[in-house]
Amino acid sequence: MTSADPVAPAQVSGFAGTMTVAAMGLGYSISMTDPTILSANISEIRAGLDMTSSTASFVASLATLALAAAVLGAGALGDLYGKKRLFVIGSVGAVVFNVVAATAPNSATLMVARAGAGVGFALLLGLSLAIVNDVFPPERRAAAISLYLGASFAFSAPQPAIGSLLAEHFGWRTGFLVAPVVAVITLLITLRYVPETPRAPRKPDLVGVGLVAVALLAIVYGISRLAEGLKPSALVPIIIGLIAAAGFVIRELRTPTPALDLHIFRSKSVSVAVSAGVTKNFLTGGCTILFAYYIVAIRGESPALLGLLLVPATILQAFAAIGSGRLADRIGNKSVLVIGLALLLAGLLVLTVLEKDSPMVVLFTAIVLICLGGAVVQTPQSTIMMSSAPPGLSGAVAALKSATGQAGYSLGPTLFALIGTAIFVQDGARKLAVSNITEEQAREALRVAHGGTESGSGGTNVLDPDRARAVVAAATDSMVDAIHTLSFIMAAVPIAAIILALVLLRPDKRSAPA
């Protein structure tokens, strides 16, 4: 049988269906949590391998960059060669490359391992949703997707804490072993219970896959460098990425066998779903920066506190994802999508009343609202996009969801940091001058190194605690005001997404009166 031979669709139910959802949720959780574990232990890794700060920062973002570059290609190739087959390859890659990382003798070996792991994560992230979509019958598909997302959040909650505990007690190398253990479990369940999915009988669009890989890699990398300002190191990659993206669009519109059929964007529902997903990831990534600034720089607490607060919030996401799927069956995807966006808006509004001495429950409320909003948005977004997938392109559409989400998640921390720092420096200029802190020193101290994946646990956004505290101590009130102002400004993002959903989305038929 060749890769072009179609495989008859197989569907699952009962215990096999439950195990399929579990396997896909486990696979997705690896791509969500592994970069977080690395980021939490990057200082120890840097010291252990005697890396410079710039090398450590690059290592922290390498898997994410590789994931961003490969995710859409992973979905497209899964459509052609079998999603289960490539998902299995991704699981094996997560095992092999993380073991290599755990035994890396030097930074060069670690870089190769992280790049390879990122490609494996792309296969897990880009194909898990598509497999769930393909192997469940249409009448059970929406419920299966919500359970899959709920499982992903539930499995993600403990992994960063386990990784940090292992690294603390047994050394940083053991932190890399969490993903391989989870991947082995994922692999065993997948091989036993997950059926193969149909394969599209067409030629691979390798040119299109290559163009979109260059586009995503360059744009995500350029966005990550924007934290240093509008410099060539940021602008040149973004320009290259935009040129490659334009080439991808031209290619996909002209080739008879596109990696991604761009005509799906003629559907208003798909466009709204994509915009809602980007909004969710943009705000999730950006708000994590505000949470970190508040806890570390204003309250003077350990960065680990944010991780502790995110654990129960991530668990709540699991219930929210499952509940939103059931709610969508009653009131429709449109209504649930708007509810999720409204929760994101509410989280931003809570941040506008956060003060230096506010009870920690106020911050936790904002964290929970942002996390719940993201989970509620993701369920109808996934259902809408997958129901619109053309035959033979479910992998590409699922990967499109991940690719656009990754871009939004990368952009969020950068813009939040840039705008927030500008507001802070302008408002606190006089106080900083009295403390002999220049504007450039303040900006440098508040820059954020980020390279995270879309994740309920906040990705891998990290803050330089000591330098941030030194600057904020000189103008604490200005930092609090900056958080208020930035939250008000960013509230326009979910409001715009809500308006788009209300105007462009039609109510589901099932939600209409009988």
Side-chain angles (χ1 to χ4, degrees):
M1 180 180 291
T2 66
S3 61
D5 294 329
V7 175
Q11 295 181 340
V12 294
S13 60
F15 183 72
T18 300
M19 298 306 291
T20 296
V21 168
M24 296 304 103
L26 282 168
Y28 188 12
S29 73
I30 295 171
S31 66
M32 293 170 69
T33 57
D34 180 85
T36 307
I37 296 172
L38 171 64
S39 177
N41 301 295
I42 192 64
S43 297
E44 291 77 10
I45 297 171
R46 175 186 172 188
L49 294 180
D50 194 24
M51 293 189 291
T52 64
S53 59
S54 59
T55 300
S57 178
F58 181 66
V59 167
S61 64
L62 192 52
T64 299
L65 293 173
L67 186 155
V71 66
L72 194 55
L77 294 176
D79 288 329
L80 297 177
Y81 300 113
K83 301 179 187 68
K84 175 184 176 180
R85 177 184 298 178
L86 292 188
F87 185 86
V88 166
I89 292 174
S91 300
V92 173
V95 174
V96 172
F97 287 111
N98 271 52
V99 170
V100 172
T103 58
N106 50 52
S107 59
T109 304
L110 183 58
M111 289 180 188
V112 173
R114 292 309 294 168
V119 175
F121 299 159
L123 293 170
L124 298 176
L125 179 65
L127 295 171
S128 53
L129 173 60
I131 290 174
V132 171
N133 182 76
D134 283 1
V135 303
F136 282 90
E139 66 274 11
R140 298 181 56 223
R141 196 165 289 156
I145 289 175
S146 67
L147 288 172
Y148 150 76
L149 293 171
S152 301
F153 290 125
F155 293 141
S156 298
Q159 290 182 46
I162 293 172
S164 294
L165 286 173
L166 287 173
E168 179 181 351
H169 293 286
F170 302 102
W172 61 265
R173 294 181 184 276
T174 59
F176 285 112
L177 300 181
V178 175
V181 171
V182 179
V184 168
I185 298 172
T186 302
L187 186 61
L188 294 175
I189 299 175
T190 300
L191 292 173
R192 174 66 178 84
Y193 293 104
V194 179
E196 186 53 272
T197 56
R199 282 176 260 170
R202 54 191 174 86
K203 295 180 179 180
D205 179 20
L206 297 181
V207 174
V209 169
L211 285 171
V212 78
V214 172
L216 289 169
L217 176 63
I219 290 173
V220 171
Y221 177 78
I223 288 173
S224 71
R225 308 309 298 176
L226 279 175
E228 300 176 359
L230 297 176
K231 297 181 179 180
S233 61
L235 295 179
V236 171
I238 290 176
I239 292 172
I240 292 174
L242 292 175
I243 293 173
F248 172 73
V249 171
I250 294 172
R251 165 75 183 182
E252 298 309 279
L253 291 176
R254 293 183 176 181
T255 182
T257 56
L260 176 64
D261 187 353
L262 298 181
H263 292 101
I264 64 170
F265 287 103
R266 292 178 179 175
S267 167
K268 294 179 181 179
S269 60
V270 171
S271 299
V272 171
V274 170
S275 66
V278 172
T279 297
K280 168 254 178 185
N281 285 287
F282 174 80
L283 294 178
T284 300
C287 284
T288 305
I289 295 301
L290 296 190
F291 301 152
Y293 276 138
Y294 180 79
I295 289 174
V296 175
I298 296 178
R299 297 290 289 250
E301 303 285 353
S302 167
L305 177 59
L306 178 56
L308 292 175
L309 293 175
L310 284 167
V311 170
T314 305
I315 294 173
L316 289 173
Q317 281 187 302
F319 292 102
I322 296 171
S324 60
R326 295 178 178 178
L327 186 62
D329 286 335
R330 298 178 58 188
I331 64 175
N333 285 314
K334 174 180 178 178
S335 299
V336 174
L337 194 68
V338 170
I339 290 172
L341 293 169
L343 288 171
L344 292 171
L345 175 60
L348 288 172
L349 294 180
V350 170
L351 288 175
T352 65
V353 301
L354 193 65
E355 300 294 342
K356 177 184 177 181
D357 299 320
S358 293
M360 196 57 69
V361 69
V362 178
L363 176 67
F364 183 66
T365 299
I367 292 174
V368 168
L369 287 171
I370 293 295
C371 289
L372 291 183
V376 172
V377 164
Q378 197 165 350
T379 300
Q381 179 211 5
S382 301
T383 303
I384 291 171
M385 292 188 68
M386 297 314 299
S387 65
S388 303
L393 285 175
S394 61
V397 173
L400 172 66
K401 172 186 173 296
S402 300
T404 53
Q406 182 62 54
Y409 196 88
S410 299
L411 184 61
T414 299
L415 283 188
F416 269 66
L418 283 175
I419 297 173
T421 301
I423 295 171
F424 167 71
V425 171
Q426 181 179 7
D427 187 61
R430 181 180 58 81
K431 298 175 183 177
L432 293 172
V434 171
S435 301
N436 295 320
I437 298 175
T438 66
E439 178 178 327
E440 181 57 30
Q441 287 174 330
R443 292 181 182 277
E444 175 63 24
L446 295 175
R447 279 176 185 152
V448 175
H450 65 281
T453 62
E454 52 170 309
S455 137
S457 56
T460 63
N461 302 291
V462 292
L463 183 69
D464 186 332
D466 296 331
R467 298 173 74 188
R469 288 193 190 104
V471 171
V472 175
T476 302
D477 292 340
S478 297
M479 174 54 79
V480 173
D481 290 340
I483 290 177
H484 294 168
T485 303
L486 180 60
S487 299
F488 268 122
I489 293 172
M490 292 304 176
V493 177
I495 290 174
I498 289 172
I499 293 173
L500 280 177
L502 291 174
V503 172
L504 298 181
L505 275 185
R506 294 181 178 179
D508 293 4
K509 291 181 180 180
R510 61 189 163 201
S511 65

